[in-house]
Amino acid sequence: MLFEYTRRRGVRSPVTDAATFKVGHLKQTMAHEAKTVDLSHLIDTSYNYHSLRELRWHLAERFGMAPEAVALREHH
């Protein structure tokens, strides 16, 4: 499943001192990108993600999928 997200700047992690990011908008992209479904209301947009891997795992858990089935694309 392909998810398109808009990245917002986060804060520095107090644990790792690495930059984090928040997801501003999350959309599920349908076949051939003809239609998208806004899923932003289904996630916590205030959460600071440390990596795309963490976002992928979070979405997989949220939607009951294997992490390998989640594809991400950043919308600019």
Side-chain angles (χ1 to χ4, degrees):
M1 185 176 299
L2 177 60
F3 293 95
E4 189 174 273
Y5 69 98
T6 303
R7 182 186 299 242
R8 291 188 358 225
R9 197 167 118 194
V11 298
R12 295 209 65 83
S13 169
V15 177
T16 63
D17 194 35
T20 64
F21 68 95
K22 295 179 182 185
V23 174
H25 294 284
L26 178 70
K27 295 179 181 180
Q28 178 185 359
T29 302
M30 301 298 186
H32 306 294
E33 301 182 39
K35 183 179 178 186
T36 61
V37 177
D38 189 351
L39 302 175
S40 301
H41 63 285
L42 297 177
I43 64 167
D44 180 359
T45 56
S46 68
Y47 182 80
N48 290 299
Y49 289 96
H50 290 81
S51 67
L52 287 179
R53 180 180 180 202
E54 183 182 17
L55 175 57
R56 180 176 285 114
W57 278 79
H58 176 90
L59 292 173
E61 180 180 47
R62 181 71 174 107
F63 295 103
M65 307 168 62
E68 300 82 28
V70 174
L72 296 171
R73 179 172 62 196
E74 186 172 0
H75 183 268
H76 298 279

